[in-house]
Protein backbone atom coordinates (compact mmCIF):
# COMPACT_ATOMS: atom_id res chain seq x y z
CA UNK A 1 0.00 0.00 0.00
CA UNK A 2 1.33 3.43 -0.89
CA UNK A 3 1.94 6.06 1.77
CA UNK A 4 -0.99 8.51 1.73
CA UNK A 5 1.23 11.49 2.55
CA UNK A 6 3.72 10.67 -0.22
CA UNK A 7 1.00 10.22 -2.83
CA UNK A 8 -0.84 13.41 -1.86
CA UNK A 9 2.42 15.41 -1.69
CA UNK A 10 3.36 14.27 -5.19
CA UNK A 11 0.06 15.49 -6.63
CA UNK A 12 0.16 18.71 -4.59
CA UNK A 13 3.67 19.41 -5.87
CA UNK A 14 2.64 18.69 -9.46
CA UNK A 15 -0.18 21.23 -9.17
CA UNK A 16 1.96 23.69 -7.19
CA UNK A 17 -0.59 23.63 -4.37
CA UNK A 18 0.12 24.33 -0.73
CA UNK A 19 -1.68 22.56 2.10
CA UNK A 20 -4.09 25.50 2.34
CA UNK A 21 -4.82 25.48 -1.41
CA UNK A 22 -5.43 21.72 -1.33
CA UNK A 23 -7.71 22.06 1.71
CA UNK A 24 -9.70 24.76 -0.08
CA UNK A 25 -10.14 22.48 -3.12
CA UNK A 26 -11.33 19.48 -1.05
CA UNK A 27 -12.98 21.53 0.82
CA UNK A 28 -11.86 21.02 4.40
CA UNK A 29 -9.98 22.68 7.22
CA UNK A 30 -6.18 22.81 6.58
CA UNK A 31 -5.55 21.43 10.08
CA UNK A 32 -7.78 18.44 9.36
CA UNK A 33 -6.01 17.79 6.06
CA UNK A 34 -2.63 18.01 7.80
CA UNK A 35 -3.67 15.52 10.50
CA UNK A 36 -5.08 13.10 7.90
CA UNK A 37 -1.95 13.24 5.75
CA UNK A 38 0.32 12.71 8.77
CA UNK A 39 -1.73 9.71 9.92
CA UNK A 40 -2.93 11.42 13.11
CA UNK A 41 -6.55 11.24 11.97
CA UNK A 42 -8.11 8.42 9.93
CA UNK A 43 -8.89 9.13 6.31
CA UNK A 44 -12.43 7.98 5.71
CA UNK A 45 -13.63 6.85 2.29
CA UNK A 46 -15.58 10.05 1.54
CA UNK A 47 -12.61 12.25 2.51
CA UNK A 48 -10.29 10.11 0.37
CA UNK A 49 -12.65 10.45 -2.61
CA UNK A 50 -12.87 14.23 -2.18
CA UNK A 51 -9.08 14.59 -1.89
CA UNK A 52 -8.55 12.28 -4.85
CA UNK A 53 -10.98 14.30 -6.99
CA UNK A 54 -9.47 17.63 -5.93
CA UNK A 55 -5.95 16.48 -6.82
CA UNK A 56 -7.00 14.55 -9.95
CA UNK A 57 -5.23 11.45 -8.61
CA UNK A 58 -7.38 8.97 -10.58
CA UNK A 59 -7.98 6.70 -7.55
CA UNK A 60 -4.40 6.66 -6.28
CA UNK A 61 -5.29 8.61 -3.11
CA UNK A 62 -8.30 6.36 -2.51
CA UNK A 63 -6.07 3.29 -2.77
CA UNK A 64 -3.43 4.79 -0.46
CA UNK A 65 -6.06 5.66 2.14
CA UNK A 66 -7.71 2.23 2.11
CA UNK A 67 -7.23 0.21 5.28
CA UNK A 68 -4.81 -2.71 4.96
CA UNK A 69 -6.31 -6.07 4.10
CA UNK A 70 -6.70 -8.41 7.06
CA UNK A 71 -3.99 -11.04 7.33
CA UNK A 72 -4.86 -14.36 5.72
CA UNK A 73 -6.34 -16.98 7.99
CA UNK A 74 -3.82 -19.61 9.01
CA UNK A 75 -4.69 -23.07 7.83
CA UNK A 76 -3.79 -26.14 9.83
CA UNK A 77 -0.42 -27.64 9.03
CA UNK A 78 -0.69 -31.01 7.29
CA UNK A 79 1.47 -33.70 8.93
CA UNK A 80 2.36 -34.97 5.44
CA UNK A 81 4.56 -31.90 5.01
CA UNK A 82 7.23 -33.48 7.22
CA UNK A 83 7.68 -36.35 4.76
CA UNK A 84 7.51 -33.97 1.81
CA UNK A 85 10.33 -31.78 3.11
CA UNK A 86 12.40 -34.80 4.18
CA UNK A 87 12.12 -36.19 0.65
CA UNK A 88 13.10 -32.81 -0.77
CA UNK A 89 16.12 -32.73 1.54
CA UNK A 90 17.23 -36.19 0.42
CA UNK A 91 16.70 -35.16 -3.19
CA UNK A 92 18.91 -32.11 -2.71
CA UNK A 93 21.75 -34.23 -1.36
CA UNK A 94 21.43 -36.51 -4.40
CA UNK A 95 21.19 -33.57 -6.82
CA UNK A 96 24.32 -31.95 -5.36
CA UNK A 97 26.41 -34.62 -7.09
CA UNK A 98 25.06 -33.56 -10.49
CA UNK A 99 24.30 -29.86 -10.09
CA UNK A 100 26.80 -28.58 -7.55
CA UNK A 101 26.18 -26.00 -4.85
CA UNK A 102 25.73 -22.97 -7.11
CA UNK A 103 22.43 -24.19 -8.48
CA UNK A 104 21.10 -25.68 -5.25
CA UNK A 105 21.75 -22.99 -2.65
CA UNK A 106 18.90 -20.71 -3.79
CA UNK A 107 16.42 -23.57 -4.10
CA UNK A 108 17.34 -25.08 -0.74
CA UNK A 109 17.22 -21.64 0.92
CA UNK A 110 13.74 -20.97 -0.48
CA UNK A 111 12.49 -24.33 0.80
CA UNK A 112 14.19 -23.73 4.15
CA UNK A 113 12.40 -20.35 4.48
CA UNK A 114 9.05 -21.95 3.63
CA UNK A 115 9.70 -24.78 6.07
CA UNK A 116 10.50 -22.33 8.89
CA UNK A 117 7.35 -20.35 8.13
CA UNK A 118 5.27 -23.52 8.32
CA UNK A 119 7.05 -24.80 11.43
CA UNK A 120 6.32 -21.51 13.16
CA UNK A 121 2.58 -22.07 12.74
CA UNK A 122 2.52 -25.77 13.63
CA UNK A 123 2.01 -27.11 17.13
CA UNK A 124 2.89 -30.10 19.24
CA UNK A 125 4.97 -32.97 17.91
CA UNK A 126 4.49 -31.80 14.32
CA UNK A 127 6.19 -28.51 15.17
CA UNK A 128 9.20 -30.36 16.57
CA UNK A 129 9.46 -32.60 13.52
CA UNK A 130 9.33 -29.62 11.18
CA UNK A 131 12.05 -27.80 13.16
CA UNK A 132 14.16 -30.96 13.08
CA UNK A 133 13.76 -31.06 9.30
CA UNK A 134 14.68 -27.37 9.15
CA UNK A 135 17.86 -28.28 11.03
CA UNK A 136 18.57 -30.78 8.27
CA UNK A 137 18.08 -28.08 5.62
CA UNK A 138 20.41 -25.74 7.54
CA UNK A 139 23.02 -28.52 7.62
CA UNK A 140 22.62 -29.00 3.86
CA UNK A 141 22.99 -25.26 3.28
CA UNK A 142 26.11 -25.24 5.46
CA UNK A 143 27.54 -28.08 3.39
CA UNK A 144 26.64 -26.41 0.09
CA UNK A 145 28.16 -23.08 1.17
CA UNK A 146 31.34 -24.86 2.28
CA UNK A 147 31.48 -26.74 -1.02
CA UNK A 148 31.09 -23.40 -2.84
CA UNK A 149 34.02 -21.98 -0.86
CA UNK A 150 31.89 -19.63 1.25
CA UNK A 151 33.33 -20.54 4.63
CA UNK A 152 31.74 -17.69 6.64
CA UNK A 153 28.29 -18.50 5.23
CA UNK A 154 28.90 -22.17 5.95
CA UNK A 155 29.70 -21.40 9.59
CA UNK A 156 26.58 -19.24 9.89
CA UNK A 157 24.39 -22.06 8.54
CA UNK A 158 25.93 -24.50 10.99
CA UNK A 159 25.02 -22.11 13.82
CA UNK A 160 21.49 -21.96 12.44
CA UNK A 161 21.43 -25.76 12.29
CA UNK A 162 22.27 -25.98 16.00
CA UNK A 163 19.60 -23.42 16.89
CA UNK A 164 16.96 -25.28 14.85
CA UNK A 165 17.99 -28.56 16.45
CA UNK A 166 17.44 -27.02 19.90
CA UNK A 167 14.12 -25.59 18.77
CA UNK A 168 12.97 -29.05 17.65
CA UNK A 169 13.13 -30.32 21.24
CA UNK A 170 14.78 -33.56 20.05
CA UNK A 171 17.59 -34.33 22.51
CA UNK A 172 19.15 -36.83 20.10
CA UNK A 173 19.39 -34.25 17.35
Amino acid sequence: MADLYAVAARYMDAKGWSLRATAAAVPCNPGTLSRVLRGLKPCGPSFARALDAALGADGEIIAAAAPPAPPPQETPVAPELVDYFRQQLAGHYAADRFLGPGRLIGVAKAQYDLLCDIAGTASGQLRGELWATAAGFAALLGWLEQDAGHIADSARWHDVMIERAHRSGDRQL
Side-chain angles (χ1 to χ4, degrees):
M1 178 171 81
D3 175 35
L4 176 61
Y5 177 84
V7 173
R10 183 167 35 91
Y11 281 97
M12 290 166 60
D13 288 345
K15 288 186 170 285
W17 286 3
S18 67
L19 184 74
R20 289 191 186 280
T22 306
V26 169
C28 70
N29 179 296
T32 299
L33 178 59
S34 175
R35 285 189 293 281
V36 167
L37 293 180
R38 291 182 293 140
L40 301 175
K41 180 177 169 108
C43 183
S46 61
F47 191 90
R49 283 191 300 274
L51 181 58
D52 191 86
L55 291 172
D58 197 29
E60 199 172 346
I61 299 246
I62 296 168
Q73 292 288 356
E74 293 294 330
T75 56
V77 177
E80 294 82 4
L81 287 173
V82 173
D83 287 336
Y84 167 78
F85 281 106
R86 286 180 180 162
Q87 289 170 2
Q88 292 295 306
L89 182 60
H92 289 318
Y93 274 107
D96 180 37
R97 290 179 286 183
F98 306 107
L99 297 174
R103 290 187 171 166
L104 286 180
I105 290 172
V107 174
K109 171 75 169 76
Q111 287 188 321
Y112 167 83
D113 290 340
L114 176 61
L115 178 55
C116 289
D117 183 50
I118 293 167
T121 63
S123 59
Q125 181 181 351
L126 178 59
R127 181 182 182 98
E129 290 178 21
L130 288 166
W131 283 125
T133 307
F137 268 85
L140 168 69
L141 284 159
W143 168 262
L144 292 172
E145 293 287 4
Q146 179 180 333
D147 199 25
H150 308 142
I151 304 306
D153 289 335
S154 175
R156 186 179 61 79
W157 277 110
H158 283 99
D159 288 343
V160 170
M161 173 194 63
I162 291 168
E163 189 276 330
R164 296 302 184 229
H166 284 291
R167 191 176 283 200
S168 76
D170 184 343
R171 292 188 181 273
Q172 296 295 320
L173 192 58

